[in-house]
Amino acid sequence: MRIRDIQTAVIEANYDWTIVKVLTDEGIVGYGECFFAPGLTRLIHELKPLLLGQDFRDIDRLCRLLREAGVTAGPVGGTIFHAIAGIETALWDIVGKWLNVPLFQLFGGAFRRRIRLYADCHAAEGLSSLSSLCTPRIPWWMSETGETQHFYEIHLKAHGGRGEEAAALPDPEAYARRAKQVKAMGYTALKFDVDIPNPYSRDDFNRCLDNREIAMMAQLVAAVREAVGDDTDIAIDCHWRFSAESAIRLTEAVAPYRLLWVEDPTPPDSVEALERVTDYSPVPIATGENHYTRQQFHDLIVRGGVHIVAPDFQKTGLLEGKRIADLAETFTVPVAPHNISSPIGTMASAHLCAAIPNFLVLEHHGIDVPFWEELALGWDGPIIRNGFIELRDDKPGIGIALNEEVAYRYRRKDEPFFASD
Ligand code: MG
């Protein structure tokens, strides 16, 4: 029942998918995934000596041990939490396999086995890739397949222009086309970025939206609503960019299009700004992907008045994620988890969503990554069918293993690949 080794690998996809593999003296191997961060692998390997020889079943105690070890490095969140979340998921995967039960059984059983996903559609541009410092990049495997030029064009359109030459006006038609395409894949909920470079932006730093920018954003939302009709949910993401007053004006402008939510309108460290927005917004406000603990979510709900919480379980960890969901449930606040993971993190999140009564919809951010499905081993056919993941009782742990051959093909070449150190 002992932890024998902890190894890591990083897959260079639209983000750095950092995979943790825990090996045990029982011969059982577990996989987990961490939300990306600079220096993350090094941190996981520094935590490793605290876990070697420990009983892999004592998950809550081991996570507490790791958090206390990192209390001066990240007492309330950050990279240390990302590292622990990946390790924790791998331990749950091991315990599930050891008991021969799917993960959702360990969290109280399923309210549902069919997990609804929403597709992140970015700014309608298709695949784009960001480094661990959120800088646009071209994955090495892409430049070798001759798609570089096309990729540059996508990036320029999605990220260029800010602070330099004027950005192009985003095309509502492109948003509409993208929405129709993704709806045709079976998704019943879509999310688009509206905080994109545009020629109307007057200042890169003051968080204020020009009236023309707000009108432009409303036009994009209108085009998407028109394209998908009333039976598809739409959310928009603001990535913490706006002042409270600008965010309120934006929510008023998009209110006629009956959004599922407006996400992260104001900076994550100001509960007061969030409170101002939730007080006046006619549209539900979601936030939480940059928060880590139930205490922080208590603040978001009670003081911030957030309507929907969106924790990222590859940051909070699964057990804290369940506690956050239970806390939200006492306020009848739904949970729509943020997720940008490979199949490993996505399946772990899906299992937890099965066990959360107030679950709303889980993010899928990989519709443009050509090898997303290929990375999963041990599932029959595609994991995602028609915008849903159907969990199964006969697949223990998170239900899949990592296809390490495929992972190796798309690995970060400057990172270890499941080697012992
Ligand atoms: Mg977001």
Side-chain angles (χ1 to χ4, degrees):
M1 319 291 176
R2 303 279 155 192
I3 295 171
R4 190 166 63 76
D5 199 8
I6 298 177
Q7 302 174 358
T8 59
V10 179
I11 301 160
E12 191 170 321
N14 48 352
Y15 303 98
D16 280 348
W17 292 335
T18 302
I19 310 293
V20 179
K21 181 180 175 183
V22 176
L23 297 88
T24 63
D25 63 358
E26 299 274 305
I28 303 170
V29 168
Y31 290 98
E33 182 167 352
C34 314
F35 194 98
F36 69 78
L40 180 57
T41 300
R42 167 90 190 270
L43 183 51
I44 296 166
H45 289 260
E46 288 205 27
L47 292 170
K48 179 166 137 178
L50 300 174
L51 295 174
L52 294 183
Q54 294 271 8
D55 189 324
F56 59 72
R57 296 168 298 181
D58 295 338
I59 300 176
D60 202 6
R61 181 180 67 82
L62 294 177
C63 289
R64 177 75 73 95
L65 197 75
L66 296 179
R67 282 192 185 185
E68 285 177 359
V71 73
T72 56
V76 293
T79 313
I80 194 116
F81 282 66
H82 303 195
I84 297 168
I87 295 168
E88 187 204 331
T89 297
L91 295 177
W92 285 115
D93 189 30
I94 289 166
V95 172
K97 285 171 176 162
W98 181 66
L99 294 169
N100 198 29
V101 294
L103 211 65
F104 62 76
Q105 297 291 7
L106 303 177
F107 285 91
F111 285 91
R112 64 195 73 75
R113 284 168 174 72
R114 197 161 177 260
I115 308 302
R116 184 186 178 211
L117 303 178
Y118 74 87
D120 187 287
C121 305
H122 315 275
E125 80 279 31
L127 179 63
S128 65
S129 182
L130 297 178
S131 77
S132 58
L133 291 171
C134 294
T135 310
R137 68 173 178 193
I138 296 168
W140 67 268
W141 49 265
M142 211 162 189
S143 51
E144 287 188 2
T145 53
E147 295 183 55
T148 308
Q149 189 54 40
H150 172 59
F151 203 71
Y152 263 127
E153 282 163 15
I154 286 170
H155 267 312
L156 283 176
K157 200 170 158 224
H159 301 280
R162 212 169 264 260
E164 294 157 16
E165 61 191 75
L169 201 58
D171 179 11
E173 264 313 297
Y175 274 64
R177 261 197 315 276
R178 181 80 168 146
K180 275 186 187 156
Q181 260 171 20
V182 179
K183 183 182 178 182
M185 293 163 75
Y187 288 94
T188 56
L190 316 174
K191 186 169 85 185
F192 283 88
D193 296 343
V194 294
D195 58 319
I196 46 176
N198 66 80
Y200 303 137
S201 175
R202 291 186 190 272
D203 189 294
D204 287 347
F205 299 102
N206 70 6
R207 303 191 179 282
C208 295
L209 285 169
D210 187 274
N211 280 338
R212 292 169 302 173
E213 274 184 289
I214 291 179
M216 173 210 84
M217 291 172 185
Q219 232 187 334
L220 297 175
V221 176
V224 171
R225 173 56 76 207
E226 163 99 37
V228 298
D230 278 336
D231 64 344
T232 302
D233 283 320
I234 304 166
I236 58 171
D237 200 340
C238 305
H239 300 100
W240 317 278
R241 290 200 204 277
F242 305 135
S243 65
E245 60 77 30
S246 283
I248 292 164
R249 287 191 290 125
L250 172 63
T251 60
E252 286 165 351
V254 297
Y257 309 108
R258 302 172 307 284
L259 295 179
L260 188 59
W261 70 71
V262 170
E263 182 169 316
D264 298 334
T266 49
D269 54 351
S270 176
V271 183
E272 288 74 16
L274 176 69
E275 184 194 358
R276 285 184 184 206
V277 178
T278 56
D279 268 357
Y280 292 102
S281 170
V283 181
I285 301 295
T287 199
E289 70 184 72
N290 269 341
H291 293 85
Y292 292 83
T293 63
R294 74 203 92 145
Q295 291 86 347
Q296 291 163 12
F297 278 87
H298 185 268
D299 253 9
L300 292 180
I301 295 168
V302 174
R303 289 171 55 216
V306 70
H307 304 113
I308 296 167
V309 291
D312 189 307
F313 300 142
Q314 281 68 52
K315 289 182 170 184
T316 64
L318 296 176
L319 195 49
E320 191 67 8
K322 178 71 166 90
R323 289 166 176 153
I324 290 163
D326 288 339
L327 169 75
E329 165 76 351
T330 64
F331 295 90
T332 70
V333 167
V335 182
H338 181 255
N339 169 50
I340 57 161
S341 304
S342 81
I344 297 295
T346 301
M347 282 300 282
S349 295
H351 276 273
L352 193 56
C353 292
I356 292 173
N358 44 331
F359 164 70
L360 175 60
V361 64
L362 170 67
E363 179 167 10
H364 176 47
H365 210 111
I367 54 171
D368 298 306
V369 179
F371 52 85
W372 194 93
E373 287 281 352
E374 260 186 281
L375 283 168
L377 206 59
W379 201 254
D380 313 314
I383 289 175
I384 298 172
R385 294 176 209 238
N386 292 319
F388 286 83
I389 295 176
E390 190 109 29
L391 296 173
R392 293 175 46 166
D393 289 281
D394 61 344
K395 301 278 186 188
I398 62 169
I400 56 165
L402 181 72
N403 187 330
E404 293 192 13
E405 212 179 299
V406 176
Y408 185 79
R409 218 183 293 153
Y410 300 102
R411 72 197 180 285
R412 270 274 301 262
K413 287 182 172 178
D414 55 351
E415 290 276 0
F417 190 83
F418 298 130
S420 277
D421 56 14

